[in-house]
């Protein structure tokens, strides 16, 4: 720049009286204060929002712009070269640091950060130039500086100016700043094109204003030398204001979004809480009756047992099972059954003591828990039985369901705690055992658990397990008891199932057959018995052993009720090569009590195939002559209770009646349980056809029976066979 001329000196002397601090400088200071305020505000916001890079970068950029405006104000208001250079150094340093801050802000604002290598290079160059700006005698952009001609504004305010020579670094920074501004404009344009129109437009407008201001200072003021002030600092004001408004709007929208999300989360939390409560209620309560379920009852019982143990008192568990519910449920439907269960639940709640717990275990089983209230087990038992008696009386009352009057009734098992167990499951099991005993002794009753019931239950469980093992290992055997006519001729034998338990020894069929029927094992056991009988028949025939030609075998009512019994039996006998007429199937009257028509059809099918049919224990059950004449029976067996009453001097009218009925219906009559010659003589006189019993022979194993038959064949013919032969 050229040295001042005499005219310049005259102009300088002319403005000496003009003020050096005026509106322009005050505006710069106001803008600096505004920018500093924005910087502090967004610095706090960025820090509170987990170091948000956008707000922090804007805070740094606003700080640089505020420092730039402050440096311009100090330089314009200076009265000498030294303070003016100090202000210019502030402007230069702020401009250097503003460039990387601008790149970071624009990258975060548009969502497209600058590449790290590029940003790193810019930051490294800026730090180098900033350090150079601190150590240079003038600034990083100027090699020489001197006082220039004061710039007089139209309203009379004079601004201190500096003249000097621009360095290469200053020119390089100028072009670099142009490049950064063009890159920022490109990012704003991309943001606008990608749908964020308002944000992109605001950023582009701010950058254009600032870019125009830079061009104004570079071209008009510096290059053309026009006596106009630089407007860079005021252009930065628009950047700070517009970007601040944009960020504030984004923050407000973000806040609204957070509030909306918070409301949704609170609503979701409320829904989840309600759902959790519903699930918890569903997990511990019965859906139909609303009573506590099995799980909740067991938890409550465990707490009561702990309290009873600690207080040395006794409580009770009442296990309740409805007597007639299955019939109601099957005949009237589940909807009526549900209404019955709801009514039963209400009835139990109405008669249960205030401090008790009523729960539904499932199906038609309920439980009432009486908390510990007595120090004596006898008192607790008496209290529980009194409560049970009241419940039986209430449950025995008819229920009015949908214009129907239904009688239900119940059985109750009672167990004490901790008398009958230290665990909830143990006490419930004892109550269930007592309930089973109440069911088996006539129903509509309450039974208190006693120790021998547990032994009986254990023995029954052992028998059930033993039955399964015996079936798998084929530990059963058949014994044969001969059947003879009144002249002593062998006509056949009855196959009797025997089971020798490993620990209990010989178990009576009267004990294990009911268990087999309840567990469903009777079908497999019956199949095995038929197969075993057919195998012995085939062997005896192959060995020319005259066993009489007929083998009787007992059939369970459960087998008769099985829909595939007839076809399976026919296939089994055919596969064994045995004629159906060789087997006599003995059934009791209980096989006819359930569904008589279905049983009649089954018996007719068996008779049509060729099986002989016998009615066992006739006269001891619900005998009916009306259905007796409809059945395709071949034999009628007289129960041993009638035979035991026979005497030579007094004839039993019942035995005579059965023989007469059999004769009139064309059936063969067989007397079982004949043990004396006197009984044999009376039966002969009454006209009985066949007999079996200890008077003839005890039931024998297969080999012993074959030997017995061989001995009879070798012995001389007699009219009757003495006992023990």
């Amino acid at each position: 720049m050229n040295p001042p001329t005499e005219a310049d000196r005259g102009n300088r002397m002319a403005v000496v009286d003009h003020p050096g601090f005026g509106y322009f400088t005050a505006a710069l200071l106001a803008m600096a204060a505004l920018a500093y305020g924005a910087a502090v505000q967004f610095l706090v916001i960025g820090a509170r929002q987990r170091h948000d890079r956008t707000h922090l970068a804007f805070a740094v950029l606003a700080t640089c712009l505020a420092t730039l405006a402050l440096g311009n104000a100090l330089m314009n208001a200076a009265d000498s070269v030294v303070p003016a250079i100090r202000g210019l150094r502030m402007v230069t340093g702020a401009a250097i640091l503003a460039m990387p801050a601008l790149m970071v802000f624009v990258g975060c604002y548009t969502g497209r950060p600058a590449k790290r290598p590029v940003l790193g290079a810019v930051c490294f160059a800026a730090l180098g130039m900033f350090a150079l700006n601190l150590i240079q005698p003038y600034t990083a952009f100027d090699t020489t500086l001197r006082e220039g001609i004061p710039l007089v504004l139209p309203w009379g305010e004079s601004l201190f100016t500096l003249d000097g020579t621009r360095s290469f670094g200053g020119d390089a920074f100028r072009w670099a700043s142009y490049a950064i501004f063009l890159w920022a404009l490109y990012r704003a344009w991309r943001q606008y094109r990608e749908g964020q129109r308002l944000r992109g437009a605001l950023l582009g407008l701010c950058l254009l204003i600032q870019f125009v201001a830079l061009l104004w200072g570079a071209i008009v003021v510096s290059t053309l030398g026009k006596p106009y002030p630089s407007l860079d600092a005021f252009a930065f004001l628009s950047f700070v204001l517009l970007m601040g408004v944009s960020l504030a709007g984004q923050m407000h929208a973000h806040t609204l979004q957070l509030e909306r999300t918070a409301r949704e989360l609170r609503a979701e939390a409320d829904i989840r809480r309600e759902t959790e409560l519903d699930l918890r209620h569903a997990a511990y309560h019965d859906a139909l009756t609303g009573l506590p379920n099995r799980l909740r009852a067991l938890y409550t019982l465990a707490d009561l047992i702990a309290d009873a143990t600690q207080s040395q008192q006794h409580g009770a568990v009442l296990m309740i099972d409805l007597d007639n519910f299955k019939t109601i449920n099957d005949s009237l439907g589940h909807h009526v059954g549900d209404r019955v269960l709801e009514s039963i639940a209400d009835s139990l709640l109405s008669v249960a003591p205030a401090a008790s717990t009523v729960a539904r275990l499932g199906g038609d089983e309920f439980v009432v828990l009486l908390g510990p209230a007595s120090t004596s087990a006898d008192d607790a038992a008496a209290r529980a039985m009194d409560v049970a008696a009241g419940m039986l009386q209430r449950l025995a009352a008819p229920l009015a369901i949908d214009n129907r009057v239904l009688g239900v009734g119940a059985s109750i098992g009672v167990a004490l705690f901790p008398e009958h167990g230290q665990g909830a499951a143990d006490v419930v099991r004892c109550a269930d055992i007592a309930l089973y005993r109440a069911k088996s002794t006539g129903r509509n009753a309450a039974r208190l658990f006693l120790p021998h019931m547990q032994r009986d239950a254990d023995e029954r469980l052992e028998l059930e397990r033993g039955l399964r093992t015996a079936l798998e290992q084929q530990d059963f055997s058949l014994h044969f008891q001969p059947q003879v006519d009144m002249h002593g001729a062998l006509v056949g034998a009855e196959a009797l199932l025997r089971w020798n338990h490993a620990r209990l020894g010989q178990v009576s069929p009267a004990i294990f057959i009911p268990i087999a029927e309840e567990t469903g094992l009777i079908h497999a056991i019956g199949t095995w018995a038929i197969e075993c009988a057919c195998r012995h028949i085939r062997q005896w025939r192959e060995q020319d052993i005259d066993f009489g030609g007929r083998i009787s075998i007992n059939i369970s009512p459960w087998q008769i009720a099985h829909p595939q019994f007839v076809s399976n039996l026919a296939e089994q006998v055919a596969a064994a090569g045995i004629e159906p007429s060789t087997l006599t199937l003995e059934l009791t009257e209980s096989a006819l009590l359930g569904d008589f028509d279905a049983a009649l059809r089954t018996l007719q099918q068996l008779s049509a195939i060729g099986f002989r049919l016998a009615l066992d224990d006739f006269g001891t059950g619900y005998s009916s002559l009306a259905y007796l004449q409809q059945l395709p029976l071949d034999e009628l067996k007289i129960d041993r209770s009638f035979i035991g009453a026979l005497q030579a001097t007094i004839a039993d009218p019942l035995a005579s009646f059965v023989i007469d009925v059999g004769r009139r219906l064309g059936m063969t009559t067989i007397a079982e349980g004949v043990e004396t010659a006197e009984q044999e003589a009376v039966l002969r006189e009454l006209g009985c056809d066949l007999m079996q019993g200890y008077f003839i022979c005890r039931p024998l194993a297969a080999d012993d029976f074959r030997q017995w038959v061989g001995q009879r064949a070798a012995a001389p013919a007699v009219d009757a066979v003495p006992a023990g032969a």
Side-chain angles (χ1 to χ4, degrees):
M1 199 173 281
N2 296 326
T5 62
E6 291 296 331
D8 294 335
R9 294 190 183 94
N11 291 334
R12 182 181 302 167
M13 295 300 295
V15 298
V16 169
D17 297 334
H18 287 269
F21 183 85
Y23 297 115
F24 189 84
T25 305
L28 288 174
L29 293 177
M31 199 211 76
L34 182 63
Y36 276 128
V40 173
Q41 178 183 4
F42 283 97
L43 179 64
V44 173
I45 294 174
R48 293 185 61 182
Q49 293 186 353
R50 298 182 179 181
H51 305 288
D52 182 82
R53 294 183 61 187
T54 303
H55 294 87
L56 292 178
F58 183 77
V60 174
L61 183 60
T63 302
C64 294
L65 299 181
T67 305
L68 191 147
L70 180 61
N72 272 295
L74 293 177
M75 185 179 66
N76 293 336
D79 55 0
S80 63
V81 174
V82 174
I85 292 177
R86 189 179 297 115
L88 183 60
R89 195 183 300 277
M90 291 179 60
V91 172
T92 303
I96 292 173
L97 296 180
M99 291 301 104
L102 178 64
M103 291 186 68
V104 174
F105 170 73
V106 171
C108 295
Y109 184 85
T110 59
R112 292 179 175 273
K115 296 182 178 180
R116 289 189 176 183
V118 176
L119 182 60
V122 171
C123 291
F124 181 78
L127 290 176
M129 294 189 69
F130 184 79
L132 186 64
N133 184 64
L134 295 177
I135 62 176
Q136 286 292 333
Y138 300 106
T139 67
F141 298 162
D142 303 283
T143 57
T144 60
L145 287 173
R146 61 182 177 276
E147 182 179 356
I149 300 173
L151 179 62
V152 180
L153 300 178
W155 54 85
E157 179 181 355
S158 65
L159 304 179
F160 190 89
T161 61
L162 290 172
D163 291 333
T165 303
R166 179 77 65 180
S167 67
F168 175 76
D171 293 335
F173 177 80
R174 178 185 301 176
W175 290 107
S177 63
Y178 292 161
I180 291 174
F181 268 94
L182 290 174
W183 171 83
L185 283 170
Y186 171 73
R187 288 300 172 88
W189 177 76
R190 287 286 302 272
Q191 187 178 26
Y192 180 85
R193 289 290 303 273
E194 290 174 357
Q196 302 181 31
R197 297 182 178 275
L198 180 59
R199 296 182 63 185
L202 284 176
L203 178 60
L205 178 62
C206 293
L207 292 172
L208 285 175
I209 293 174
Q210 187 63 44
F211 193 63
V212 170
L214 288 176
L215 292 177
W216 168 270
I219 298 175
V220 177
V221 177
S222 298
T223 304
L224 299 180
K226 297 296 182 178
Y228 301 126
S230 177
L231 301 179
D232 297 359
F234 290 102
F236 285 131
L237 176 63
S238 64
F239 190 92
V240 172
L241 292 178
L242 291 178
M243 286 295 96
V245 170
S246 177
L247 292 178
Q250 295 178 34
M251 186 169 58
H252 179 67
H254 183 64
T255 302
L256 294 178
Q257 178 65 30
L258 289 178
E259 293 178 354
R260 182 165 55 253
T261 303
R263 288 194 299 270
E264 293 175 355
L265 290 176
R266 284 194 296 270
E268 183 179 354
D270 293 338
I271 294 174
R272 291 182 62 182
R273 190 179 302 107
E274 293 176 0
T275 304
E276 182 179 355
L277 292 176
D278 293 340
L279 290 175
R280 184 180 296 273
H281 185 274
Y284 291 108
H285 290 79
D286 177 54
L288 177 63
T289 62
L291 296 176
N293 59 10
R294 175 183 291 273
L295 184 61
R296 184 61 183 172
L298 291 177
Y299 284 157
T300 303
L301 179 56
D303 294 338
L304 292 177
I305 293 175
D307 294 341
T309 303
Q310 184 176 5
S311 62
Q312 295 183 351
Q313 292 182 325
H314 299 270
V317 173
L318 280 66
M319 184 75 67
I320 304 168
D321 187 84
L322 305 183
D323 289 337
N324 197 34
F325 179 74
K326 187 178 186 304
T327 302
I328 295 174
N329 211 30
D330 293 342
S331 59
L332 300 180
H334 291 282
H335 64 287
V336 177
D338 291 344
R339 295 285 305 279
V340 170
L341 293 175
E342 291 173 347
S343 299
I344 293 297
D346 294 338
S347 300
L348 292 176
L349 288 173
S350 64
V351 298
S356 63
T357 299
V358 180
R360 182 189 176 201
L361 300 185
D364 59 343
E365 281 191 342
F366 295 83
V367 67
V368 178
L369 308 179
L370 303 180
S374 303
T375 58
S376 171
D378 294 337
D379 293 342
R383 170 175 172 249
M385 295 303 291
D386 289 341
V387 173
M391 290 182 174
L392 289 176
Q393 183 178 1
R394 179 61 182 269
L395 297 179
L399 298 177
I401 304 294
D402 296 338
N403 298 323
R404 297 184 180 93
V405 178
L406 304 176
V408 183
S411 300
I412 301 178
V414 180
L416 304 180
F417 60 83
E419 182 78 11
H420 296 148
Q422 296 294 327
D426 295 334
V427 178
V428 170
R429 187 187 69 251
C430 293
D432 202 30
I433 292 174
L435 172 64
Y436 177 80
R437 186 60 60 92
K439 287 279 191 182
S440 62
T441 55
R443 301 190 176 190
N444 194 29
R447 290 291 182 271
L448 177 66
F449 175 80
L450 297 174
H452 73 83
M453 296 182 182
Q454 181 66 59
R455 292 193 297 269
D456 295 343
D458 293 341
E459 183 176 345
R460 185 185 186 280
L461 180 60
E462 184 178 5
L463 288 174
E464 180 180 337
R465 292 175 178 173
L467 278 176
R468 299 182 186 276
T469 303
L471 187 60
E472 294 174 358
Q473 300 179 358
Q474 297 186 356
D475 290 340
F476 295 107
S477 63
L478 286 183
H479 281 51
F480 298 88
Q481 186 172 37
Q483 296 174 339
V484 299
D485 60 16
M486 290 304 163
H487 301 288
L490 181 65
V491 297
E494 180 180 3
L496 300 172
L497 188 63
R498 294 293 183 263
W499 177 31
N500 187 16
H501 192 275
R503 189 183 67 85
L504 302 177
Q506 286 290 341
V507 182
S508 171
I511 296 177
F512 72 80
I513 289 298
I515 298 177
E517 291 177 338
E518 293 178 15
T519 57
L521 295 174
I522 190 64
H523 300 289
I525 294 176
T527 300
W528 177 90
I530 294 291
E531 179 184 355
C532 185
C534 292
R535 184 171 63 252
H536 286 304
I537 292 172
R538 187 172 59 251
Q539 292 175 354
W540 294 334
R541 286 182 174 177
E542 292 173 354
Q543 297 171 3
D544 294 328
I545 296 176
D546 184 11
F547 60 90
R550 289 190 314 216
I551 296 296
S552 299
I553 190 165
N554 292 279
I555 301 298
S556 168
W558 294 89
Q559 294 176 268
I560 294 293
H562 196 282
Q564 279 81 41
F565 173 69
V566 175
S567 58
N568 292 341
L569 179 60
E571 293 176 1
Q572 186 178 11
V573 172
I578 304 300
E579 300 83 3
S581 58
T582 308
L583 292 179
T584 300
L585 307 179
E586 295 187 5
L587 61 147
T588 60
E589 295 180 38
S590 57
L592 311 173
L593 296 179
D595 189 346
F596 176 78
D597 294 333
L600 177 60
R601 288 193 297 271
T602 300
L603 297 181
Q604 289 174 342
Q605 293 173 3
L606 292 171
S607 179
I609 293 174
F611 292 103
R612 293 177 58 83
L613 302 176
L615 184 61
D616 196 7
D617 300 335
F618 177 74
T620 60
Y622 302 93
S623 303
S624 172
L625 297 179
Y627 72 68
L628 184 61
Q629 63 181 356
Q630 302 180 41
L631 300 175
L633 299 175
D634 300 290
E635 299 177 2
L636 199 60
K637 299 194 72 173
I638 308 172
D639 186 72
R640 66 179 63 248
S641 61
F642 300 154
I643 304 303
L646 292 177
Q647 297 181 13
T649 57
I650 304 176
D652 186 1
L654 293 178
S656 175
F657 171 76
V658 173
I659 294 172
D660 187 58
V661 169
R663 183 184 300 112
R664 291 180 180 275
L665 294 178
M667 303 177 188
T668 301
T669 56
I670 303 177
E672 59 181 355
V674 179
E675 298 181 355
T676 65
E678 186 179 15
Q679 294 172 353
E680 185 269 341
V682 175
L683 290 171
R684 185 195 301 270
E685 183 178 352
L686 292 176
C688 184
D689 299 314
L690 306 175
M691 61 180 176
Q692 68 182 82
Y694 281 12
F695 178 71
I696 310 300
C697 185
R698 296 173 179 270
L700 300 172
D703 293 339
D704 295 335
F705 176 73
R706 182 180 56 188
Q707 184 179 0
W708 181 86
V709 171
Q711 292 175 354
R712 281 183 55 87
V718 295
D719 289 341
V721 181

XYZ file of all heavy atoms in Angstrom, residues 589 592 596 600 603 614-616 618-619 622-637 657-658 660-665 667:
287
model
N -72.814 -109.272 36.529
C -73.952 -108.394 36.242
C -73.546 -106.930 36.162
O -74.239 -106.113 35.538
C -75.023 -108.574 37.316
C -75.637 -109.960 37.334
C -76.685 -110.093 38.423
O -77.427 -109.124 38.652
O -76.748 -111.145 39.053
N -73.464 -105.149 32.870
C -74.722 -104.798 32.210
C -75.366 -103.550 32.793
O -76.381 -103.074 32.266
C -75.710 -105.963 32.317
C -75.154 -107.340 31.927
C -76.182 -108.419 32.251
C -74.795 -107.359 30.450
N -76.859 -100.963 29.038
C -77.341 -102.324 28.782
C -77.450 -102.600 27.291
O -77.082 -103.685 26.820
C -78.691 -102.543 29.457
C -79.288 -103.893 29.165
C -78.822 -105.022 29.826
C -80.290 -104.039 28.220
C -79.360 -106.272 29.555
C -80.835 -105.283 27.945
C -80.369 -106.400 28.616
N -75.550 -105.518 25.417
C -76.321 -106.549 24.723
C -75.818 -106.744 23.300
O -75.665 -107.885 22.829
C -77.805 -106.164 24.718
C -78.751 -107.112 23.973
C -78.705 -108.510 24.577
C -80.181 -106.567 23.980
N -72.527 -108.684 23.446
C -72.728 -110.106 23.736
C -73.325 -110.831 22.533
O -72.979 -111.999 22.258
C -73.616 -110.265 24.958
C -73.051 -109.710 26.275
C -74.026 -109.955 27.419
C -71.699 -110.339 26.590
N -71.264 -116.878 29.797
C -71.748 -117.291 31.112
C -71.918 -116.054 31.985
O -71.099 -115.127 31.940
C -70.780 -118.268 31.767
N -73.009 -116.047 32.781
C -73.250 -114.961 33.731
C -72.816 -115.431 35.110
O -73.383 -116.376 35.663
C -74.732 -114.568 33.731
C -75.088 -113.374 34.615
C -74.355 -112.120 34.160
C -76.606 -113.119 34.597
N -71.784 -114.793 35.654
C -71.191 -115.206 36.923
C -71.875 -114.480 38.075
O -72.389 -113.358 37.929
C -69.691 -114.884 36.903
C -68.940 -115.626 37.999
O -69.550 -116.466 38.669
O -67.741 -115.341 38.172
N -74.642 -114.870 39.598
C -76.034 -114.469 39.406
C -76.776 -114.506 40.741
O -76.660 -115.445 41.513
C -76.723 -115.409 38.398
C -78.180 -115.098 38.191
C -78.563 -113.990 37.461
C -79.163 -115.913 38.744
C -79.900 -113.705 37.276
C -80.504 -115.625 38.563
C -80.879 -114.517 37.825
N -77.551 -113.438 40.959
C -78.355 -113.361 42.169
C -77.755 -112.498 43.249
O -78.430 -112.166 44.226
N -77.832 -106.724 40.952
C -79.153 -106.195 40.632
C -79.782 -107.072 39.566
O -79.948 -106.665 38.414
C -79.044 -104.739 40.160
C -78.399 -103.838 41.188
C -77.030 -103.595 41.180
C -79.160 -103.255 42.191
C -76.431 -102.779 42.128
C -78.570 -102.440 43.143
C -77.217 -102.208 43.107
O -76.639 -101.411 44.052
N -80.098 -108.299 39.949
C -80.622 -109.268 38.992
C -81.985 -108.839 38.480
O -82.829 -108.353 39.226
C -80.729 -110.644 39.648
O -79.465 -111.048 40.140
N -82.171 -109.026 37.187
C -83.449 -108.699 36.569
C -83.777 -109.781 35.560
O -83.027 -110.015 34.613
C -83.387 -107.328 35.874
O -84.555 -107.100 35.126
N -84.888 -110.457 35.787
C -85.303 -111.503 34.852
C -85.694 -110.907 33.509
O -85.637 -111.594 32.482
C -86.475 -112.284 35.453
C -86.171 -113.035 36.759
C -87.425 -113.736 37.245
C -85.041 -114.026 36.551
N -86.055 -109.602 33.518
C -86.469 -108.971 32.270
C -85.305 -108.912 31.281
O -85.472 -109.176 30.089
C -87.006 -107.563 32.546
N -84.111 -108.536 31.760
C -82.991 -108.479 30.835
C -82.298 -109.833 30.718
O -81.600 -110.093 29.746
C -81.993 -107.387 31.221
C -81.144 -107.661 32.450
C -80.170 -108.661 32.456
C -81.279 -106.874 33.587
C -79.376 -108.882 33.558
C -80.491 -107.092 34.702
C -79.532 -108.096 34.682
O -78.744 -108.317 35.775
N -82.484 -110.726 31.696
C -81.812 -112.016 31.651
C -82.256 -112.823 30.434
O -81.444 -113.479 29.771
C -82.080 -112.791 32.938
C -81.366 -114.133 33.078
C -79.853 -113.926 33.062
C -81.802 -114.844 34.356
N -83.556 -112.748 30.112
C -84.046 -113.534 28.986
C -83.677 -112.923 27.637
O -83.818 -113.571 26.609
C -85.569 -113.674 29.084
C -86.321 -112.356 29.004
C -87.833 -112.556 29.124
O -88.307 -113.692 29.193
N -88.572 -111.453 29.150
N -83.157 -111.643 27.658
C -82.733 -111.025 26.404
C -81.287 -111.362 26.058
O -80.874 -111.217 24.908
C -82.868 -109.496 26.492
C -84.269 -108.998 26.795
C -84.322 -107.478 26.870
O -83.708 -106.790 26.068
N -85.048 -106.966 27.850
N -80.526 -111.806 27.049
C -79.102 -112.027 26.835
C -78.849 -113.380 26.184
O -79.481 -114.376 26.544
C -78.360 -111.949 28.171
C -78.483 -110.615 28.931
C -77.806 -110.721 30.290
C -77.872 -109.484 28.119
N -77.910 -113.448 25.260
C -77.587 -114.730 24.587
C -76.642 -115.569 25.453
O -75.515 -115.895 25.036
C -76.930 -114.273 23.287
C -76.273 -112.976 23.645
C -77.170 -112.315 24.647
N -77.081 -115.952 26.657
C -76.229 -116.670 27.602
C -76.335 -118.173 27.397
O -77.398 -118.702 27.054
C -76.619 -116.305 29.037
C -76.474 -114.822 29.427
C -77.013 -114.586 30.828
C -75.012 -114.400 29.333
N -75.215 -118.850 27.654
C -75.176 -120.308 27.591
C -75.132 -120.925 28.972
O -75.597 -122.061 29.162
C -73.951 -120.768 26.792
C -73.959 -120.240 25.370
O -74.787 -120.689 24.583
O -73.128 -119.349 25.068
N -74.577 -120.225 29.936
C -74.413 -120.774 31.273
C -74.820 -119.734 32.310
O -74.690 -118.528 32.098
C -72.946 -121.191 31.506
C -72.461 -122.266 30.543
C -70.989 -122.584 30.760
O -70.391 -121.985 31.681
O -70.437 -123.410 30.020
N -75.288 -120.252 33.441
C -75.661 -119.416 34.577
C -74.944 -119.979 35.801
O -75.171 -121.137 36.188
C -77.183 -119.446 34.780
C -77.803 -118.325 35.601
C -77.536 -116.973 34.963
C -79.311 -118.552 35.743
N -74.071 -119.188 36.403
C -73.270 -119.665 37.533
C -73.925 -119.233 38.845
O -74.294 -118.064 39.010
C -71.843 -119.125 37.452
C -71.095 -119.557 36.192
C -69.603 -119.311 36.298
C -68.966 -120.286 37.250
N -67.500 -120.185 37.258
N -83.991 -121.673 43.083
C -84.600 -120.724 42.145
C -83.676 -120.480 40.955
O -84.123 -120.462 39.796
C -84.901 -119.412 42.868
C -85.319 -118.295 41.964
C -86.589 -118.257 41.422
C -84.428 -117.284 41.631
C -86.969 -117.228 40.569
C -84.800 -116.263 40.790
C -86.074 -116.227 40.265
N -82.391 -120.304 41.210
C -81.450 -120.038 40.125
C -81.389 -121.239 39.181
O -81.375 -121.088 37.951
C -80.064 -119.710 40.694
C -79.030 -119.591 39.574
C -80.111 -118.427 41.505
N -83.681 -123.408 38.657
C -84.953 -123.478 37.930
C -84.994 -122.444 36.821
O -85.457 -122.723 35.708
C -86.101 -123.286 38.906
C -87.446 -123.509 38.235
O -87.656 -124.615 37.699
O -88.251 -122.561 38.226
N -84.517 -121.209 37.104
C -84.487 -120.164 36.075
C -83.604 -120.592 34.916
O -83.957 -120.446 33.740
C -84.004 -118.826 36.679
C -83.701 -117.816 35.568
C -85.044 -118.267 37.623
N -82.422 -121.140 35.226
C -81.521 -121.579 34.169
C -82.128 -122.665 33.320
O -81.981 -122.673 32.086
N -82.808 -123.610 33.971
C -83.420 -124.702 33.226
C -84.508 -124.160 32.309
O -84.616 -124.577 31.146
C -83.985 -125.741 34.189
C -84.588 -126.962 33.463
C -85.233 -127.924 34.444
N -84.269 -128.429 35.419
C -84.302 -128.117 36.711
N -85.244 -127.313 37.179
N -83.398 -128.622 37.533
N -85.328 -123.215 32.810
C -86.436 -122.690 32.006
C -85.926 -121.843 30.832
O -86.579 -121.769 29.793
C -87.365 -121.865 32.885
C -88.138 -122.706 33.884
C -89.050 -121.827 34.740
N -89.792 -122.633 35.694
C -90.941 -123.248 35.435
N -91.478 -123.131 34.220
N -91.558 -123.958 36.350
N -84.758 -121.185 31.034
C -84.216 -120.356 29.957
C -83.274 -121.125 29.047
O -82.664 -120.551 28.140
C -83.484 -119.139 30.541
C -84.366 -118.126 31.290
C -83.508 -116.996 31.860
C -85.438 -117.552 30.358
N -80.436 -122.690 29.863
C -79.030 -122.455 30.174
C -78.479 -123.566 31.050
O -79.205 -124.168 31.840
C -78.857 -121.118 30.898
C -79.382 -119.906 30.156
S -79.187 -118.408 31.141
C -80.104 -117.224 30.140
